[in-house]
Amino acid sequence: MSSKALALMLTLAAGPLVADEGMWLFNEIPRTTLEARYGFAPTPEQLEHLRLATVRIGRGGTGSFASAQGLVLTNHHVGLDCIQKLSTAERDLVAHGFVAKTHTEELACPDTDLSVVVSIERVTDRIEAALAGVSDPAAQEKARRTAIADLERGCKEATGLTCEVVRLFGGAVYDLYRLRRYTDVRLAFAPEIDAVRFGGDVDNFDYPRFSFDFALFRVWENGKPLAVEHHLSWQPEGVAEGEPVFAAGFPGGTQRLYTLAQMAWTRDVWLPLVMLEIVHSHDRLVAFSARGAEQERIALRDLYVRANSMKALSGLLGGLLDAQRFHAKAEREGRLRRELAARPELVARFGDPWAEIERSLVVRTEIEPRYRVLESTGRYPGRLFDIARWLVRLAEERTKADGERIPEYRESVRPLLEQRLLSPAPIHPELEEDHLTGYLRRLLGQLGPIHPAVLEVIGRHSPEEVAAELVRGTHLTDVAVRKALMGATPAEIAASTDPLIRFARALDPHARAIRERWQDEVDSINVSAWARIAQIERAVTSGDLYPDATGSLRLSFGKVAGYEEGGRPVAPFSPLSGLYQRAEERGGRPPYTVAATLSRLRGELPGASPVTFVAKLDSTGGNSGSPVVDREMRLVGVLFDGNLWTLANPMLYDETQARTISVDVRAMLLALTRIYPAAHLAEEIVGEAP
Amino acid sequence: MSSKALALMLTLAAGPLVADEGMWLFNEIPRTTLEARYGFAPTPEQLEHLRLATVRIGRGGTGSFASAQGLVLTNHHVGLDCIQKLSTAERDLVAHGFVAKTHTEELACPDTDLSVVVSIERVTDRIEAALAGVSDPAAQEKARRTAIADLERGCKEATGLTCEVVRLFGGAVYDLYRLRRYTDVRLAFAPEIDAVRFGGDVDNFDYPRFSFDFALFRVWENGKPLAVEHHLSWQPEGVAEGEPVFAAGFPGGTQRLYTLAQMAWTRDVWLPLVMLEIVHSHDRLVAFSARGAEQERIALRDLYVRANSMKALSGLLGGLLDAQRFHAKAEREGRLRRELAARPELVARFGDPWAEIERSLVVRTEIEPRYRVLESTGRYPGRLFDIARWLVRLAEERTKADGERIPEYRESVRPLLEQRLLSPAPIHPELEEDHLTGYLRRLLGQLGPIHPAVLEVIGRHSPEEVAAELVRGTHLTDVAVRKALMGATPAEIAASTDPLIRFARALDPHARAIRERWQDEVDSINVSAWARIAQIERAVTSGDLYPDATGSLRLSFGKVAGYEEGGRPVAPFSPLSGLYQRAEERGGRPPYTVAATLSRLRGELPGASPVTFVAKLDSTGGNSGSPVVDREMRLVGVLFDGNLWTLANPMLYDETQARTISVDVRAMLLALTRIYPAAHLAEEIVGEAP
């Protein structure tokens, strides 16, 4: 398959794939590689069991069924969005944790959904058939989108399931995923935040690590806990050093297909811009939190997300600045391009996709700052503005044929949009105002004071004034108002006097214009070029191959193994005693605050018990909450992070030092049975009183 | 001269120079143009008088002698650095203003210096002689710097004056400026901040405008007010619409010689990066100010500077996004390049400097983010870090020959460095800590957590912790400590245990390395290419020409004239009544707070009296405080700002809407005699009781 060529491109220098590399398709696992390295490969039945026991949480995390009664294990930081929305100043579940003693005490998340991949079907031929006779990249891209929308709608009508066509290998392969979606998700267990965030942003992406970053939710259906056939058994003994493990999950996106020019562009243009945006938003949130305890509480998750992004991107930069890794990439790409040049029949067929990408980067450099501030998801304008934009766009997009809509407004993703629009989760006006102010400041800075969009929405006022008036005047905090507007026509939206709707409408033409340029002059060029690079690879090499992560279900594998840092070995397990020791070394100052419960129990808990472990699992953002299983598919941990060297994973895999970090199953059982009063949940999971 | 070619490049499309454009050399004023437009040109005697009455304030502002006893007029915002340093929580001269009733009540600024241009000499031949036989751009640049250092040192030894060789027309022309420097500068008068900042950041760069942005200082020498021969007479009647005026000043820098590629690069790469840095630093300062009244007081000037930069750069972006102006630049450059291509003898002699610049931009894109955070002046690390770096570098640079040093450490600028290092101005540890924290966050973000510099100076700590420890542990707040270290050898600096010295030393090799790349692979290429572009211009055109601003003394001219905005006329004068009216329209909410004194006197002051006026003077940052004089060299105003359209002045001049804004001489006399108790100063200036 075309997939084969691609991963080989990444390893041309090293010959065949020998590393624990890859986020593999469940319908195309590297059986040969696995057998060569470990002497076995999971059976189709095992793979099906793992797939059906793994859940996607919203759009950015993973979990796994942990019992026959619908219990779901994930990371605390994945569940934090719900946990924070369930909290109030009086009952702060983030600070103090939560244990539901009975099913009825479980708390329903306001807007969390889970999905299970029911089946996967290859549909490349059906997409390619729609492109017959179309040669312009932008027109091809439009044709592809129409074909994708048609397939998804047809599938949904036939099955009632969520249907998603996934573009793989930059567009050389398409798979149709059918997912069953659950929307009644309830919180069953969460530890105290100090037990989760010990070491905070300083230790984030670092190792050794002492974090109980897990939580338990339960899926309900028709007023009852969901009966689940495929759930993972937990292995109370854990896993040993050197053993192979697997992780199933929904890694959000990698760019290993990026050309050298795109990597340099990312390093030199994109990252500095984006990192400063994040630093700016982060430091505003720090200042907001300093206003008082309640402000600190409501800004907490946004702050974590920003701090996490900042560290992740600066780690990616670290990887891209690594001359050795960059050189290796240059070697591989150079070799492939020379092989292509030596075969005129391939040149005639595929052209020079690298040169096309280089040209598109000139356009992208020009539009990127404005694209980011007007259209990208990294704008951080706050929830209210997002809601306003969704409503404004929904009204307009609904007048179009499904395949011609902006993808986020296609019928196939309608439930997600509705869930977001109708979420009863609390909206904090003070925080919204601060987000909007920061956004308006960046808008003013990036577009300049005499840009038509700025003149329209800010004019002679200050960003602070505009934000205050928008938040004070809007009624979009009211779910009923949003519900009414969800059915509005464009004319009704145009007649709305809600200031935030008017604001979103005023920005919309500018945002759409820059998006269109981005799609036609950047994205469609990339898609066309990447697909041909993958095809060129296929023509000149052979072997097992995996595509870039796309948010679709993947399987990773690798050994539990330590690594070296600065010439010293780092052990693969972090024992509980290390937590107390580190806190002492740092005088217990934040972020090394020992959680109240852990502090009280010191001396009573087994110090040698591992809290976390590292393994050579290839992973990236979106893998958070992934079940980590042994060769018998028994759960031995929950993936929650990677060390510093994994931060370049999106573009450059490294096996010498990059390691993913998981909470050890033994730490989770310890937490449920001896740290928090949740033995009943442990019993539900392991099937006996532990 | 080569100068001629250059400005014509800027007006090729329009034919000969017809606009009120240009920041002209005092030794090369556009006599022909002036006579054609206005029927007269200043006489050599008038020019000499204006030159000797104009003063440079520090390195970033302008002023003018206003009396025979050394009184100096400038902007309040230029003097604010001193005024703030003289203030304390108990005696806040910024908030409440200041009037010295007698000479002895005047307050000495801790570290302000003024300079007067005594003479100007052309030295192009002497610089070019040093380049004989050197062809590599980086080597040429080194030879040039040695020649410049030699010239400056020789001049200083011979005259005792401050001697500065100024590079003009991108390096086609060199002039030697001799300046007399005064360091005993005392505050005589300042209005309340609310009278200066009415309209704040919202009205900044806008018009109509109601600001008393002026202050009076006095130069002392040998314990007495300086006796001044050349001071400007004030014209109490002011100036009328349509009259030509002149401004003398020290505009800091323009880039009108930038190629189209450089302008696009500035728009697409540089501005987004820099604007986000400023937004970040600005918003941290806002949060810092929110901690309390004293924090607000000590952060005030930094905050203004940041807000001003932000608006200035976003205005520049606005200009660069203006398709029409950008198109005009493309036309001009295209025409010049076609003319060159048609003359093979020019191609053989000059090569293709535009292509060389384009290639250097690839390098610059790569290094810019790291150059900025490690070496540029836009890092905002706080005063203490600047001091530490100066000391570390001074020790090392002093071991080198003068011409081989980093320019800021040459003997010719030693007095400036000493003044900064030994300034007794208060240093606020809490503010320093905040600056350093923000700087470390940007450093971490831009370099990544595993960059060797970051591992050395931050390691596993948080930026907050590192900043707190640096500020807590350093002794550089003590002037005596700094004085001792000014004479230190590199070995003594290496042995210092001061944490901030160690910090600066740890960063220094990384900063020097990136600076060296910038000099060799960007700056020297640009200098060589710009000089040739100017020479190509000279070869194909003729006419009056002015060089880009470089911080050296310049003369601008233009009519007092209103303009159109959105189809409506904007009048050239802003009367005092408009201030009260605008405050009423905005309900007196900040930034429209009427100063206490102005509020009390409302009704008693003449509402029709102009506060400010606009004129077609070409200006840029550094012109603040410039005397604006009529055709008889009588002072009619003090330049303090430009409207939105001047913000693109650094690269693209526009005469239709761009206007500089000055405080009217009538407003200044009104303030001295009827608003504040400073009639004695007015009398000293105008020579009689007004």
Side-chain angles (χ1 to χ4, degrees):
Chain A
M1 299 294 104
S2 74
S3 47
K4 295 192 179 152
L6 177 57
L8 265 199
M9 177 185 80
L10 297 167
T11 52
L12 272 179
L17 205 61
V18 291
D20 286 338
E21 174 178 351
M23 303 173 195
W24 299 85
L25 298 170
F26 266 70
N27 49 342
E28 217 169 73
I29 70 154
R31 204 161 284 284
T32 322
T33 305
L34 281 168
E35 277 166 359
R37 281 177 80 79
Y38 299 111
F40 80 100
T43 64
E45 294 69 31
Q46 283 181 315
L47 283 176
E48 186 185 23
H49 176 65
L50 181 59
R51 166 167 59 79
L52 293 169
T54 301
V55 300
R56 183 172 77 183
I57 302 185
R59 291 271 157 155
T62 302
S64 58
F65 283 120
S67 83
Q69 294 88 49
L71 213 51
V72 169
L73 167 69
T74 185
N75 294 140
H76 185 277
H77 80 265
V78 170
L80 180 59
D81 180 53
C82 162
I83 302 169
Q84 187 174 32
K85 285 173 178 166
L86 291 172
S87 295
T88 60
E90 294 71 37
R91 191 183 64 164
D92 190 342
L93 309 181
V94 177
H96 307 301
F98 176 73
V99 180
K101 289 195 219 64
T102 63
H103 289 175
T104 49
E105 278 186 22
E106 291 169 358
L107 302 169
C109 295
D111 51 12
T112 300
D113 70 324
L114 301 185
S115 307
V116 175
V117 175
V118 173
S119 71
I120 307 171
E121 184 187 348
R122 183 131 305 175
V123 293
T124 313
D125 295 348
R126 291 161 72 181
I127 302 294
E128 277 174 3
L131 300 187
V134 187
S135 62
D136 169 63
Q140 282 186 337
E141 184 58 16
K142 283 189 181 123
R144 246 181 241 119
R145 288 186 184 189
T146 302
I148 289 171
D150 290 348
L151 262 174
E152 290 178 348
R153 204 180 43 256
C155 162
K156 190 187 176 186
E157 284 166 10
T159 64
L161 297 169
T162 299
C163 297
E164 297 174 5
V165 171
V166 179
R167 188 196 299 250
L168 300 163
F169 296 102
V173 172
Y174 291 84
D175 280 349
L176 171 64
Y177 281 68
R178 298 190 187 87
L179 298 99
R180 180 160 287 124
R181 186 164 174 266
Y182 303 97
T183 55
D184 186 352
V185 180
R186 306 191 187 177
L187 178 63
F189 168 82
E192 297 146 286
I193 189 72
D194 285 341
V196 175
R197 293 273 304 174
F198 181 81
D201 295 326
V202 177
D203 280 7
N204 190 11
F205 297 118
D206 220 328
Y207 205 75
R209 190 72 161 281
F210 312 95
S211 165
F212 292 81
D213 192 350
F214 81 105
L216 294 168
F217 292 83
R218 190 185 304 279
V219 180
W220 288 59
E221 201 174 42
N222 304 320
K224 289 187 309 220
L226 180 70
V228 172
E229 183 190 345
H230 292 279
H231 55 93
L232 298 177
S233 304
W234 288 21
Q235 162 55 287
E237 308 295 324
V239 68
E241 182 173 1
E243 285 291 307
V245 289
F246 298 86
F250 295 85
T254 57
Q255 295 81 35
R256 293 189 187 160
L257 198 44
Y258 260 33
T259 66
L260 196 65
Q262 285 176 308
M263 283 169 54
W265 182 87
T266 301
R267 182 192 65 194
D268 301 331
V269 179
W270 191 83
L271 275 174
L273 191 62
V274 176
M275 288 192 302
L276 277 171
E277 282 171 10
I278 298 170
V279 169
H280 177 249
S281 174
H282 176 270
D283 285 13
R284 286 192 67 89
L285 285 163
V286 169
F288 180 86
S289 299
R291 290 185 198 164
E294 177 60 1
Q295 286 89 346
E296 188 178 351
R297 190 185 72 75
I298 62 178
L300 176 135
R301 184 175 169 273
D302 285 339
L303 196 52
Y304 288 176
V305 170
R306 231 64 96 232
N308 192 62
S309 307
M310 206 156 59
K311 204 155 179 185
L313 292 182
S314 64
L316 173 59
L317 177 62
L320 292 174
L321 287 169
D322 179 332
Q324 208 178 331
R325 287 210 244 175
F326 210 76
H327 182 69
K329 169 80 182 178
E331 286 264 307
R332 288 194 296 269
E333 183 170 305
R335 197 173 308 183
L336 189 66
R337 294 182 74 170
R338 282 193 302 276
E339 290 207 35
L340 173 69
R343 293 170 65 169
E345 80 284 5
L346 291 184
V347 176
R349 190 165 150 216
F350 295 118
D352 184 350
W354 289 274
E356 290 168 30
I357 284 178
E358 266 173 58
R359 283 195 294 276
S360 82
L361 286 173
V362 175
V363 181
R364 194 160 179 202
T365 300
E366 184 202 328
I367 65 177
E368 188 70 14
R370 284 159 302 282
Y371 174 75
R372 288 202 62 73
V373 80
L374 284 169
E375 183 65 20
S376 84
T377 52
R379 296 167 293 117
Y380 314 127
R383 263 181 78 198
L384 280 174
F385 176 83
D386 278 340
I387 287 169
R389 171 165 284 183
W390 290 330
L391 289 169
V392 166
R393 290 196 167 172
L394 181 61
E396 189 167 338
E397 294 299 309
R398 278 168 64 242
T399 65
K400 300 178 185 168
D402 200 33
E404 284 163 20
R405 296 184 194 171
I406 295 178
E408 310 92 274
Y409 298 88
R410 287 209 305 254
E411 288 303 318
S412 59
V413 288
R414 184 78 177 261
L416 179 72
L417 186 62
E418 286 188 8
Q419 183 188 41
R420 286 176 175 171
L421 277 170
L422 302 180
S423 166
I427 292 179
H428 306 289
E430 190 184 354
L431 181 60
E432 292 294 317
E433 193 179 318
D434 202 69
H435 279 311
L436 259 178
T437 302
Y439 174 58
L440 287 165
R441 298 192 70 84
R442 287 189 294 277
L443 195 71
L444 182 65
Q446 300 286 73
L447 299 185
I450 51 178
H451 187 288
V454 172
L455 287 175
E456 259 180 278
V457 301
I458 304 182
R460 295 272 168 115
H461 302 276
S462 69
E464 287 74 10
E465 285 175 318
V466 176
E469 281 172 24
L470 289 174
V471 173
R472 202 180 303 130
T474 189
H475 294 95
L476 296 180
T477 41
D478 182 344
V479 178
V481 170
R482 305 203 293 256
K483 186 158 193 173
L485 285 168
M486 272 177 66
T489 64
E492 284 162 353
I493 289 286
S496 167
T497 57
D498 190 286
L500 212 50
I501 292 283
R502 294 167 69 110
F503 177 82
R505 263 197 87 229
L507 276 185
D508 210 43
H510 305 286
R512 282 177 180 268
I514 201 99
R515 180 183 180 130
E516 203 154 310
R517 280 199 69 190
W518 184 83
Q519 270 172 2
D520 292 351
E521 299 174 47
V522 178
D523 194 44
S524 60
I525 307 291
N526 286 347
V527 166
S528 158
W530 282 330
R532 278 175 290 141
I533 290 173
Q535 287 169 310
I536 291 166
E537 279 286 350
R538 177 168 48 182
V540 302
T541 50
S542 70
D544 278 337
L545 288 163
Y546 68 92
D548 262 315
T550 56
S552 58
L553 183 65
R554 300 300 174 90
L555 181 75
S556 303
F557 62 86
K559 281 188 178 168
V560 174
Y563 56 102
E564 277 203 0
E565 186 178 341
R568 287 176 317 191
V570 178
F573 291 92
S574 296
L576 183 56
S577 58
L579 184 153
Y580 296 108
Q581 190 187 328
R582 183 167 286 195
E584 255 168 37
E585 286 164 8
R586 305 301 296 262
R589 286 194 307 275
Y592 298 96
T593 315
V594 178
T597 314
L598 285 174
S599 185
R600 205 162 51 237
L601 294 173
R602 181 170 189 181
E604 296 175 31
L605 298 172
S609 186
V611 183
T612 64
F613 66 89
V614 284
K616 290 185 176 185
L617 291 161
D618 195 1
S619 70
T620 193
N623 266 124
S624 280
S626 283
V628 178
V629 298
D630 63 13
R631 63 174 71 201
E632 282 154 43
M633 301 291 127
R634 291 174 307 189
L635 186 119
V636 295
V638 59
L639 194 160
F640 74 102
D641 202 5
N643 67 4
L644 280 175
W645 290 271
T646 62
L647 294 173
N649 270 0
M651 295 187 193
L652 295 163
Y653 176 80
D654 161 61
E655 149 156 308
T656 56
Q657 288 177 292
R659 297 288 182 276
T660 52
I661 313 175
S662 304
V663 183
D664 196 291
V665 66
R666 288 163 283 188
M668 294 192 278
L669 289 172
L670 191 72
L672 294 174
T673 57
R674 298 185 53 191
I675 303 174
Y676 300 102
H680 57 294
L681 292 171
E683 193 180 334
E684 178 181 336
I685 293 165
V686 299
E688 58 191 58
Chain B
M1 299 292 102
S2 73
S3 46
K4 294 192 179 150
L6 176 58
L8 265 198
M9 178 184 78
L10 297 165
T11 51
L12 273 178
L17 205 62
V18 291
D20 286 338
E21 174 177 352
M23 303 173 195
W24 299 84
L25 298 170
F26 265 69
N27 50 342
E28 217 169 73
I29 70 155
R31 203 160 286 283
T32 322
T33 306
L34 281 168
E35 277 166 0
R37 280 178 79 81
Y38 298 112
F40 80 100
T43 65
E45 294 69 32
Q46 283 181 316
L47 284 176
E48 186 184 24
H49 177 65
L50 181 59
R51 167 167 58 79
L52 293 170
T54 301
V55 300
R56 183 173 77 183
I57 302 186
R59 290 270 157 154
T62 301
S64 59
F65 284 121
S67 83
Q69 295 88 50
L71 213 51
V72 169
L73 166 69
T74 186
N75 294 141
H76 185 277
H77 79 265
V78 170
L80 180 57
D81 180 51
C82 163
I83 302 169
Q84 188 175 30
K85 285 172 178 167
L86 291 172
S87 295
T88 60
E90 293 71 38
R91 190 183 64 164
D92 189 343
L93 309 181
V94 177
H96 307 301
F98 176 76
V99 180
K101 289 195 218 64
T102 64
H103 289 175
T104 49
E105 277 186 21
E106 291 168 359
L107 302 170
C109 296
D111 52 11
T112 300
D113 69 325
L114 300 185
S115 306
V116 175
V117 175
V118 174
S119 71
I120 306 171
E121 184 188 347
R122 184 133 302 177
V123 293
T124 313
D125 295 347
R126 292 160 74 181
I127 302 293
E128 276 174 2
L131 300 187
V134 187
S135 61
D136 169 62
Q140 283 187 338
E141 184 58 15
K142 283 187 183 126
R144 245 182 243 119
R145 288 188 184 188
T146 303
I148 289 171
D150 290 347
L151 262 174
E152 290 178 348
R153 204 179 44 254
C155 162
K156 191 187 175 185
E157 284 166 10
T159 63
L161 298 169
T162 299
C163 296
E164 296 174 4
V165 172
V166 179
R167 188 196 298 248
L168 301 163
F169 296 103
V173 172
Y174 291 84
D175 279 349
L176 171 64
Y177 281 68
R178 298 189 187 87
L179 297 100
R180 180 161 286 124
R181 186 163 174 267
Y182 302 98
T183 54
D184 186 353
V185 180
R186 306 189 186 178
L187 177 64
F189 168 81
E192 298 146 286
I193 191 71
D194 285 342
V196 176
R197 292 274 302 175
F198 181 81
D201 295 327
V202 177
D203 280 7
N204 190 12
F205 297 118
D206 219 329
Y207 204 76
R209 188 75 161 281
F210 310 96
S211 165
F212 292 81
D213 191 351
F214 81 105
L216 294 168
F217 292 82
R218 190 185 303 278
V219 179
W220 288 60
E221 200 174 42
N222 304 321
K224 289 188 310 222
L226 180 70
V228 172
E229 185 191 342
H230 292 279
H231 56 92
L232 298 176
S233 304
W234 288 22
Q235 162 56 287
E237 308 295 325
V239 69
E241 181 170 3
E243 284 293 307
V245 288
F246 297 87
F250 295 85
T254 57
Q255 294 82 35
R256 293 189 187 160
L257 198 44
Y258 261 33
T259 65
L260 196 65
Q262 285 175 307
M263 283 170 53
W265 181 86
T266 301
R267 182 192 64 195
D268 301 331
V269 179
W270 190 83
L271 276 173
L273 191 61
V274 176
M275 288 191 303
L276 278 170
E277 282 170 11
I278 298 170
V279 169
H280 177 249
S281 174
H282 176 270
D283 285 12
R284 286 193 67 89
L285 284 164
V286 169
F288 181 86
S289 300
R291 291 186 197 163
E294 177 60 1
Q295 285 89 345
E296 188 177 351
R297 191 185 72 76
I298 62 177
L300 175 135
R301 184 175 168 273
D302 285 339
L303 196 52
Y304 288 176
V305 170
R306 231 63 97 232
N308 192 61
S309 306
M310 205 156 59
K311 203 154 180 184
L313 292 182
S314 64
L316 173 59
L317 177 63
L320 291 174
L321 287 170
D322 178 332
Q324 207 177 334
R325 286 209 246 175
F326 210 77
H327 182 69
K329 169 80 183 178
E331 286 264 307
R332 288 194 297 270
E333 183 170 305
R335 197 172 309 185
L336 188 66
R337 294 182 74 170
R338 283 194 300 279
E339 291 207 34
L340 173 69
R343 293 170 65 171
E345 78 285 6
L346 291 184
V347 176
R349 191 166 150 216
F350 296 118
D352 184 350
W354 288 274
E356 291 168 31
I357 285 178
E358 266 172 57
R359 282 195 295 274
S360 82
L361 286 173
V362 176
V363 180
R364 195 162 180 201
T365 300
E366 183 202 329
I367 65 176
E368 188 70 14
R370 287 162 297 282
Y371 174 75
R372 289 202 62 73
V373 81
L374 283 169
E375 183 63 21
S376 85
T377 52
R379 295 167 293 119
Y380 315 127
R383 262 181 78 199
L384 280 175
F385 176 84
D386 278 340
I387 288 168
R389 170 165 285 183
W390 290 330
L391 289 169
V392 166
R393 290 196 165 171
L394 182 60
E396 187 168 340
E397 295 299 309
R398 278 167 65 242
T399 65
K400 300 179 187 170
D402 200 34
E404 284 164 17
R405 296 183 193 171
I406 295 179
E408 309 91 275
Y409 298 88
R410 286 208 307 255
E411 287 303 317
S412 60
V413 288
R414 183 79 176 259
L416 180 72
L417 186 61
E418 286 187 8
Q419 184 187 41
R420 286 176 175 171
L421 278 170
L422 302 181
S423 167
I427 292 179
H428 306 288
E430 189 184 354
L431 182 59
E432 291 294 317
E433 193 179 318
D434 203 69
H435 279 310
L436 259 178
T437 301
Y439 174 57
L440 287 166
R441 298 191 71 83
R442 288 189 294 276
L443 195 73
L444 182 65
Q446 299 286 72
L447 299 184
I450 51 178
H451 187 288
V454 172
L455 288 174
E456 260 180 278
V457 301
I458 303 181
R460 296 271 169 114
H461 302 274
S462 70
E464 288 74 10
E465 284 175 318
V466 176
E469 281 172 24
L470 288 174
V471 173
R472 203 180 302 130
T474 189
H475 294 94
L476 297 180
T477 41
D478 183 345
V479 177
V481 169
R482 306 203 292 256
K483 186 158 194 175
L485 286 168
M486 272 177 66
T489 63
E492 285 162 353
I493 289 285
S496 167
T497 57
D498 191 286
L500 212 50
I501 292 283
R502 295 167 69 109
F503 177 82
R505 264 197 86 229
L507 276 185
D508 210 42
H510 307 285
R512 282 178 180 267
I514 201 100
R515 180 184 180 130
E516 203 154 310
R517 281 200 69 190
W518 184 83
Q519 270 172 2
D520 292 351
E521 299 175 47
V522 179
D523 194 44
S524 60
I525 308 290
N526 286 347
V527 167
S528 159
W530 282 330
R532 279 174 290 142
I533 290 173
Q535 287 170 313
I536 292 166
E537 280 284 353
R538 175 169 50 182
V540 303
T541 51
S542 71
D544 278 335
L545 288 164
Y546 68 92
D548 263 315
T550 57
S552 58
L553 182 65
R554 299 300 174 88
L555 182 75
S556 303
F557 62 85
K559 280 189 178 167
V560 174
Y563 57 101
E564 277 205 0
E565 185 177 343
R568 287 176 318 190
V570 178
F573 291 92
S574 295
L576 183 57
S577 57
L579 184 153
Y580 297 107
Q581 190 187 328
R582 183 167 285 196
E584 255 169 36
E585 286 163 8
R586 305 301 294 263
R589 286 193 307 276
Y592 298 98
T593 315
V594 178
T597 315
L598 286 174
S599 183
R600 204 161 52 236
L601 294 173
R602 181 170 188 179
E604 296 175 31
L605 298 172
S609 186
V611 183
T612 64
F613 66 88
V614 282
K616 290 186 176 184
L617 291 162
D618 195 359
S619 70
T620 192
N623 267 123
S624 281
S626 283
V628 179
V629 298
D630 64 12
R631 64 173 71 201
E632 283 153 42
M633 301 292 126
R634 291 175 307 190
L635 186 120
V636 295
V638 59
L639 193 159
F640 74 103
D641 202 5
N643 67 4
L644 280 176
W645 290 272
T646 63
L647 294 173
N649 270 359
M651 294 187 193
L652 294 163
Y653 177 79
D654 160 63
E655 147 155 313
T656 56
Q657 288 176 292
R659 296 290 182 275
T660 52
I661 314 175
S662 305
V663 183
D664 196 290
V665 66
R666 289 164 281 190
M668 294 193 278
L669 289 171
L670 191 72
L672 294 174
T673 56
R674 297 186 53 191
I675 305 174
Y676 300 102
H680 57 294
L681 292 171
E683 194 179 334
E684 178 181 335
I685 293 166
V686 299
E688 59 191 55

